[in-house]
Amino acid sequence: MASLLRLPSLLKPSAAAARPSALLRRRCRAGTAASVSASRSQAAAATTGAAAPAPPETRGGGDREGQVTPRSVDFNAWYTDVIAAAELADYGPVRGTMVIRPYGYAIWEAIQDYLNVKFKETGHSNMYFPQFIPYSFIEKEASHVEGFSPELALVTIGGGKELEEKLVVRPTSETIVNHMFTKWIQSYRDLPLMINQWANVTRWEMRTKPFIRTLEFLWQEGHTAHATLEEAEKEAMQMIDVYTKFAYEQAAIPVIPGRKSRVETFAGANRTYTIEAMMGDRKALQAGTSHNLGQNFSRAFGTQFMDENSQIEHVWQTSWAISTRFVGGIIMTHGDDAGLMLPPNIAPIQVVIVPIWKKGDEKSAVMEAVSSVQNTLKEAGIRVKVDDSELRTPGWKFNFYEMKGVPIRLEIGPRDVTNKSVVISRRDIPGKQGKEFGVSMDPSILVDHIKGRLVEIQASLLQKAIAFRDSNIVDVSSYGELKEVIAEGKWARGPWSASDADELKVKEETSATIRCFPFEQPEGAKKCFMTGNPAEEVAIFAKSY
């Protein structure tokens, strides 16, 4: 039996936790998506000769359970509604926890698959550390315990007895990693030591939000030890570059990489590098971090090695991580009133095929064509799903897979079979503009066409996100201007060389923090907008999650 701290707040009121699938029962679909789906259904019927299905009302039982809140009306409600309707997650029975459902986990697996390859390409090996950490380990690094103490979950009873030393449920692993590194590292020949683990983490968050902040979440955390400061700095920069490329190339999120301020630096690190993403409500999301830990933990734990000159030195270290909050970032960056909009590179389903027929004698030919197209796309490495359920109308299916953010939908009906063609609908372009009629089923044509469209959608989502980001970053030259920009919900960018106290003043008065000092800096002389003193860098300020 384990005794844990009590979570003071909820993801959802306690009554919701008691109701079966409470989150998922909140909303079914977007009213906007339903109207779009209805027009698409009618267009599909005109193409295939099938009767146009009625606009979808529910996913079952004929009862309408509500609509997804429009983004412009209430962004937070829209976010949780989409998570429910797209079947990404549900609330767990313990306050502040969530259950990641198969579709949500498949997105996380796509993130894992890409990063795992990159980690191994850069010389890292996967391993696993225990989730229970002696409290004395946390206390060894002063700034670390101070930074994490409010978020710790502690085990005080085990096997029915009071433990001699309380245990911390892993909030991060720098301390236990150093304990083991001290055993494994003796000589410069043992360096560099570079490992990664995929694990769960527990942090007793005061304010929770599905995927963004929960009591428990999933992540990867890399830990490395090096012989020199220069090697550690190179590693920390290399890994933030890996994260940046992932965000741009896979998630289509145009993050801004940079360095955190002293106030925002990870507890126990010399420097923290970050990728900052602008969400659809213009708040910032810290999407990934990489820390140069210097020798702070190695000195606390006595992690030493004998160098080539037979001198005893402390190792130089890094740690870096991305978590399931990135899933939330994808939702909030690309989603619309119709639901998710997933970049093809990480979409669990890239193409969904919806068969359409009106008469029973049409089904056989339609399904034969559907099966052929499915096999063609699978053999080409495209992630494809056929929804041949007869319990739902084609129109309902159109709406449902729009909600789930599937990039491309293929519609195949009797007339398409006769013409040996398909109808293609793009998730990123609503209505008739996003539809293509009469695309040949010939494998040599269809595969190239679908792959081309997937590439276009990936690029389109990125460019749209870049345009949104850039139109909401404003350069400021005074504190008054910063206040105005932040009040408008935008990001403020300006020269900064003021004190930590000034930074905290900005946070207190505007609720905005320094998100980062971007790596890309403007040239020329700069003057701090807060103090008027010379400044070497501009900083970005924003409200954040």
Side-chain angles (χ1 to χ4, degrees):
M1 178 176 66
S3 175
L4 296 178
L5 295 176
R6 186 177 181 181
L7 184 64
S9 65
L10 286 168
L11 278 171
K12 188 77 174 170
S14 57
R19 294 195 302 268
S21 299
L23 172 61
L24 296 182
R25 292 176 61 243
R26 287 190 58 197
R27 302 288 187 256
C28 277
R29 74 225 38 85
T32 301
S35 62
V36 170
S37 295
S39 64
R40 292 186 180 183
S41 301
Q42 292 160 4
T47 303
T48 62
E57 289 298 318
T58 67
R59 280 186 261 159
D63 295 322
R64 188 180 181 88
E65 294 185 354
Q67 297 177 340
V68 168
T69 305
R71 282 195 358 157
S72 59
V73 173
D74 187 331
F75 191 87
N76 287 328
W78 166 84
Y79 175 76
T80 54
D81 289 349
V82 167
I83 288 174
E87 301 179 342
L88 298 176
D90 203 345
Y91 292 110
V94 175
R95 295 183 176 190
T97 65
M98 69 172 178
V99 177
I100 304 176
R101 300 187 66 181
Y103 196 64
Y105 198 84
I107 298 173
W108 176 237
E109 286 180 316
I111 295 172
Q112 287 180 300
D113 290 345
Y114 175 89
L115 290 178
N116 228 4
V117 171
K118 297 302 177 183
F119 295 160
K120 292 176 181 179
E121 285 179 352
T122 48
H124 305 88
S125 299
N126 284 331
M127 61 180 302
Y128 185 79
F129 291 87
Q131 68 171 328
F132 296 119
I133 301 171
Y135 188 76
S136 59
F137 284 17
I138 305 293
E139 292 180 304
K140 283 189 177 183
E141 212 290 322
S143 62
H144 194 65
V145 68
E146 181 181 353
F148 274 102
S149 184
E151 299 178 355
L152 296 181
L154 305 177
V155 179
T156 59
I157 299 174
K161 297 180 180 179
E162 190 82 19
L163 299 178
E164 291 184 8
E165 179 180 1
K166 55 190 174 184
L167 303 177
V168 175
V169 184
R170 174 176 48 224
T172 183
S173 298
E174 281 76 9
T175 57
I176 194 168
V177 165
N178 266 271
H179 176 77
M180 301 310 299
F181 275 13
T182 299
K183 292 184 175 185
W184 300 336
I185 298 171
Q186 305 298 326
S187 164
Y188 69 92
R189 296 183 181 87
D190 299 321
L191 299 173
L193 181 53
M194 303 192 297
I195 61 95
N196 174 69
Q197 75 164 341
W198 297 91
N200 63 332
V201 169
T202 298
R203 295 182 185 176
W204 224 258
E205 297 281 1
M206 299 298 291
R207 294 178 297 110
T208 55
K209 185 182 183 73
F211 287 111
I212 302 301
R213 290 187 182 276
T214 49
L215 185 153
E216 179 190 22
F217 57 90
L218 304 179
W219 76 351
Q220 61 74 211
E221 53 176 321
H223 297 272
T224 67
H226 305 268
T228 67
L229 170 62
E230 292 74 21
E231 289 178 12
E233 179 67 9
K234 182 179 179 181
E235 166 74 5
M237 291 294 289
Q238 173 183 247
M239 299 321 294
I240 207 66
D241 185 56
V242 167
Y243 291 159
T244 301
K245 288 180 178 177
F246 162 74
Y248 271 87
E249 297 173 5
Q250 301 299 307
I253 297 179
V255 296
I256 296 178
R259 187 188 78 256
K260 286 288 189 182
S261 66
R262 285 191 300 269
V263 170
E264 296 292 324
T265 293
F266 175 73
N270 284 357
R271 283 192 170 193
T272 290
Y273 301 110
T274 181
I275 52 173
E276 299 290 325
M278 181 182 288
M279 300 294 95
D281 60 353
R282 298 181 296 191
K283 284 187 179 180
L285 182 74
Q286 179 179 288
T289 53
S290 179
H291 315 291
N292 185 333
L293 302 175
Q295 295 178 318
N296 296 328
F297 286 92
S298 64
R299 290 185 181 279
F301 283 83
T303 313
Q304 299 175 313
F305 71 102
M306 182 177 291
D307 67 15
E308 296 181 18
N309 299 315
S310 298
Q311 299 296 311
I312 301 298
E313 302 285 351
H314 289 91
V315 299
W316 301 83
Q317 292 179 264
T318 76
S319 65
W320 27 274
I322 269 184
S323 76
T324 41
R325 76 170 3 211
F326 214 105
V327 177
I330 293 167
I331 299 168
M332 292 193 288
T333 299
H334 301 301
D336 62 12
D337 285 347
L340 290 178
M341 196 179 300
L342 294 178
N345 288 356
I346 60 169
I349 304 168
Q350 294 174 314
V351 177
V352 62
I353 304 175
V354 178
I356 302 172
W357 66 84
K358 182 178 180 181
K359 302 175 182 178
D361 59 0
E362 296 171 336
K363 177 180 176 180
S364 177
V366 168
M367 290 309 301
E368 183 178 346
V370 165
S371 179
S372 176
V373 170
Q374 179 187 26
N375 291 334
T376 294
L377 298 181
K378 276 188 175 181
E379 290 171 2
I382 296 169
R383 296 186 290 279
V384 58
K385 173 183 175 66
V386 172
D387 190 338
D388 57 359
S389 169
E390 297 183 38
L391 299 177
R392 306 296 185 191
T393 66
W396 183 93
K397 295 174 184 178
F398 293 176
N399 180 51
F400 183 58
Y401 291 103
E402 285 172 359
M403 179 63 67
K404 295 178 83 73
V406 177
I408 289 177
R409 182 180 73 241
L410 300 187
E411 303 158 20
I412 300 177
R415 188 174 299 175
D416 301 303
V417 174
T418 300
N419 296 332
K420 296 183 179 180
S421 64
V422 300
V423 178
I424 296 177
S425 292
R426 287 175 55 158
R427 175 63 180 86
D428 63 320
I429 304 177
K432 292 182 179 180
Q433 289 184 329
K435 294 184 78 75
E436 296 179 88
F437 298 90
V439 179
S440 175
M441 287 185 187
D442 184 284
S444 63
I445 297 175
L446 183 61
V447 168
D448 288 344
H449 193 89
I450 294 294
K451 286 186 173 181
R453 289 294 177 264
L454 291 172
V455 170
E456 289 176 12
I457 294 169
Q458 184 79 23
S460 174
L461 292 178
L462 177 59
Q463 290 306 313
K464 182 179 178 181
I466 289 173
F468 179 78
R469 179 200 67 184
D470 291 350
S471 66
N472 285 288
I473 299 178
V474 180
D475 290 310
V476 299
S477 57
S478 71
Y479 185 37
E481 289 181 0
L482 178 138
K483 286 183 174 180
E484 291 177 4
V485 170
I486 296 301
E488 293 173 0
K490 298 183 178 183
W491 292 17
R493 178 175 54 201
W496 183 264
S497 61
S499 66
D500 293 352
D502 286 328
E503 182 179 344
L504 292 172
K505 177 183 176 182
V506 173
K507 181 178 181 179
E508 180 180 351
E509 295 182 356
T510 70
S511 298
T513 57
I514 292 180
R515 303 316 306 160
C516 70
F517 294 92
F519 292 149
E520 291 189 10
Q521 289 283 330
E523 297 181 355
K526 306 172 189 66
K527 188 178 294 185
C528 177
F529 66 79
M530 193 76 170
T531 64
N533 296 327
E536 295 182 356
E537 300 173 293
V538 299
I540 291 178
F541 291 77
K543 294 181 180 179
S544 65
Y545 283 102

